[in-house]
């Protein structure tokens, strides 16, 4: 199972469109585009999960710097989330 980071996504792009783009290279388990908590608007990045590592590697190679609506997306294997220190509450 490979988690793929996708950055610089146009704000007009939908999760379904992103899924179809990655499905050209294999099965997609999930697509999660990140939204701003306060405004609900897209933040321009998201994650795609693919169960087959070879298909995911191929998608990463082929889609890195791929152009969507005039923007070149950034595609690479997602890094594990780093733990954050707890936020101070006043």
């Amino acid at each position: 199972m490979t988690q793929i980071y996708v950055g610089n996504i146009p704000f007009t792009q939908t999760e379904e469109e992103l899924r179809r783009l990655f499905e050209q290279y294999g099965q997609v388990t999930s697509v999660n585009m990140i939204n701003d908590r306060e405004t609900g608007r897209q933040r321009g990045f998201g994650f795609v999960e693919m169960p087959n590592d070879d298909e995911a590697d191929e998608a990463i190679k082929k889609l890195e710097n791929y152009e969507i609506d005039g923007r070149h997306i950034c595609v690479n294997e997602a890094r594990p989330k780093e733990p954050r220190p707890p936020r101070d509450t006043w």
Side-chain angles (χ1 to χ4, degrees):
M1 185 75 67
T2 301
Q3 179 104 0
I4 302 168
Y5 167 83
V6 186
N8 204 34
I9 301 169
F11 298 116
T12 57
Q13 187 80 5
T14 67
E15 285 186 356
E16 185 55 38
E17 290 169 325
L18 196 60
R19 175 182 291 276
R20 284 196 305 266
L21 179 64
F22 277 81
E23 282 178 338
Q24 295 176 58
Y25 302 97
Q27 182 182 358
V28 172
T29 307
S30 67
V31 175
N32 183 21
M33 292 174 65
I34 307 303
N35 295 323
D36 184 274
R37 287 185 185 141
E38 293 179 19
T39 65
R41 293 179 22 189
Q42 290 183 27
R43 294 190 55 201
F45 71 96
F47 299 91
V48 175
E49 194 170 74
M50 298 180 76
N52 182 297
D53 293 340
D54 291 333
E55 291 174 353
D57 289 342
E58 184 69 12
I60 291 168
K61 287 178 196 166
K62 298 287 185 175
L63 294 175
E64 170 59 22
N65 210 32
Y66 183 84
E67 186 176 333
I68 303 173
D69 294 339
R71 296 181 80 164
H72 293 270
I73 59 173
C74 171
V75 181
N76 53 51
E77 189 168 347
R79 291 177 284 198
K81 190 173 183 178
E82 294 181 15
R84 292 190 199 183
R87 292 175 60 170
D88 291 337
T89 55
W90 296 70

